[in-house]
Amino acid sequence: MSQIPFYDAAAIASAVSMADAIELMRGAFASLTRGEAAVPLRTNMPLEGGDCALVMPVYLPASGHYGVKTVSVNHSNPARGLPRLHAVFTLFDAPTGVPLAAFDAEFVTALRTGAGAGLATDLLASPGPKRLALFGAGHQAVTQLQAMAAVRELQEVVVFATSAERAAAFARAQSAHYPFPLRAASDPAELQQADLICTATSASAPVFADANLGPVVHINGVGSYHKGMAEVPPATVARALLVADQRSACLAEAGDITQAVASGTIGEQHIYAELGELCAGLRPLPAAGQGVSFFKSVGNAVQDLAVASQAWRVLVARAAGQGEP
Ligand SMILES: NC(=O)c1ccc[n+]([C@@H]2O[C@H](COP(=O)([O-])OP(=O)(O)OC[C@H]3O[C@@H](n4cnc5c(N)ncnc54)[C@H](O)[C@@H]3O)[C@@H](O)[C@H]2O)c1
């Protein structure tokens, strides 16, 4: 077997822009909803001391590729000066099983998670300039911001994090990339002016109060991924037009939704649509700009495969001196 290339963040970013990734998500989510993608349940392999490796296979016949994302979670790594998570996505040619390439899956994950929120915002938020409130100042916050800037003209961004210093450092660093003002915020009253909210936090309880929201707002929540976590208050979930990346996964894993269901605040049928149903025309697109809409993402490996597959095509064509596919 010949060596396979490893594509790092810079190589992937040179092949798939955020705008490209948002377009790729349309097809990926539509395939997921139509049952065209095989996404077996992820395997959690326990390691020593509470560490684990998560193994996520995915096959999309239309792409001709399948892949496996492996994420290691090693809690003592920060004390060793290493990141807590490492992730690699391995891409295979489906008809032959030949391994094609490995990818920095921390970057792929951040890119596709931002892109999912970007697509949802493009479908659910009204057109026109927007003010964004961003909760979280970590890896995912970077690509949430990129995605919002890709689909809407942003007038101003306010950043909330666990500390004012963290929010200010994030705002300073990101300001260099954008023409609009970015600043740290701590007063929840500022949410009244937000047309878009992205929550990309590790919070276990809602990060804002329903009463702080303005009358028309679109929210993307990518953080809470198990029943013990939440970012969006049940009262907001209850009055929002709710779109899930995948119904079954959100009803099983997303604390924002499972807690609202468990308390009787909403029923399972409160989820209006899966994102893929909107993309595939299986559910009508709701009128944008009316009240609150909420896109809840727990993430799906089909998103990783869509990005890795396209990045591979572009990078191979480029290396062969051919035009972009
Ligand atoms: N939906 C998906 O597909 C997907 C993909 C990857 C990661 N995630 C999840 O997204 C979340 C963020 O990931 P990350 O890699 O950016 O993490 P990170 O650790 O880099 O950053 C977490 C951020 O959350 C902030 N935060 C925590 N509690 C907060 C609160 N109450 N208010 C405001 N900010 C708060 C922290 O200040 C920090 O900036 C995690 O829960 C992660 O598991 C989801």
Side-chain angles (χ1 to χ4, degrees):
M1 191 170 73
S2 57
Q3 278 194 339
I4 60 169
F6 176 80
Y7 294 126
D8 63 11
I12 301 163
S14 77
V16 179
S17 68
M18 178 54 80
D20 297 334
I22 290 170
E23 280 313 303
L24 290 168
M25 291 306 111
R26 284 185 205 274
F29 279 110
S31 298
L32 184 68
T33 281
R34 291 199 206 100
E36 296 162 359
V39 192
L41 275 183
R42 77 175 173 205
T43 298
N44 182 333
M45 181 174 72
L47 302 171
E48 304 305 315
D51 295 347
C52 67
L54 304 168
V55 184
M56 293 168 248
V58 53
Y59 173 38
L60 196 48
S63 72
H65 292 149
Y66 72 87
V68 183
K69 180 158 87 170
T70 308
V71 181
S72 326
V73 185
N74 294 78
H75 297 290
S76 45
N77 271 3
R80 295 180 176 120
L82 291 171
R84 190 185 305 268
L85 299 186
H86 288 97
V88 175
F89 188 90
T90 314
L91 186 73
F92 297 83
D93 178 60
T96 61
V98 171
L100 299 174
F103 297 81
D104 173 343
E106 291 160 61
F107 183 77
V108 171
T109 302
L111 178 60
R112 59 74 153 164
T113 304
L119 173 59
T121 303
D122 208 25
L123 293 173
L124 296 168
S126 60
K130 299 283 177 251
R131 290 198 179 85
L132 167 67
L134 182 57
F135 285 83
H139 297 97
Q140 305 308 321
V142 172
T143 49
Q144 291 295 304
L145 176 57
Q146 280 173 8
M148 296 307 105
V151 297
R152 290 294 182 272
E153 179 195 334
L154 298 182
Q155 292 177 312
E156 183 186 40
V157 178
V158 292
V159 184
F160 294 82
T162 33
S163 76
E165 292 74 26
R166 196 166 181 164
F170 179 93
R172 256 195 319 277
Q174 292 300 316
S175 287
H177 306 296
Y178 298 102
F180 46 81
L182 272 131
R183 61 182 171 81
S186 55
D187 182 357
E190 296 221 39
L191 278 189
Q192 284 285 336
Q193 276 81 53
D195 314 291
L196 302 175
I197 296 176
C198 291
T199 60
T201 76
S202 46
S204 51
V207 297
F208 58 82
D210 186 60
N212 292 132
L213 297 181
V216 178
V217 60
H218 172 69
I219 304 166
N220 299 297
V222 304
S224 85
Y225 61 90
H226 66 68
K227 290 180 177 181
M229 296 175 86
E231 299 182 298
V232 174
T236 303
V237 178
R239 70 189 179 97
L241 179 118
L242 180 57
V243 173
D245 59 355
Q246 190 179 36
R247 266 198 186 79
S248 54
C250 284
L251 287 168
E253 298 173 9
D256 298 306
I257 295 176
T258 60
Q259 292 175 23
V261 171
S263 65
T265 310
I266 63 167
E268 295 192 351
Q269 75 294 343
H270 185 64
I271 298 178
Y272 170 75
E274 290 191 345
L275 190 55
E277 290 176 307
L278 301 181
C279 299
L282 300 172
R283 290 282 277 164
L285 262 183
Q290 302 191 349
V292 181
S293 51
F294 176 29
F295 169 61
K296 179 57 204 160
S297 151
V298 290
N300 191 285
V302 75
Q303 299 174 258
D304 300 297
L305 180 57
V307 167
S309 182
Q310 177 63 8
W312 180 82
R313 287 180 207 284
V314 170
L315 291 164
V316 166
R318 195 180 285 165
Q322 297 162 0
E324 309 269 301

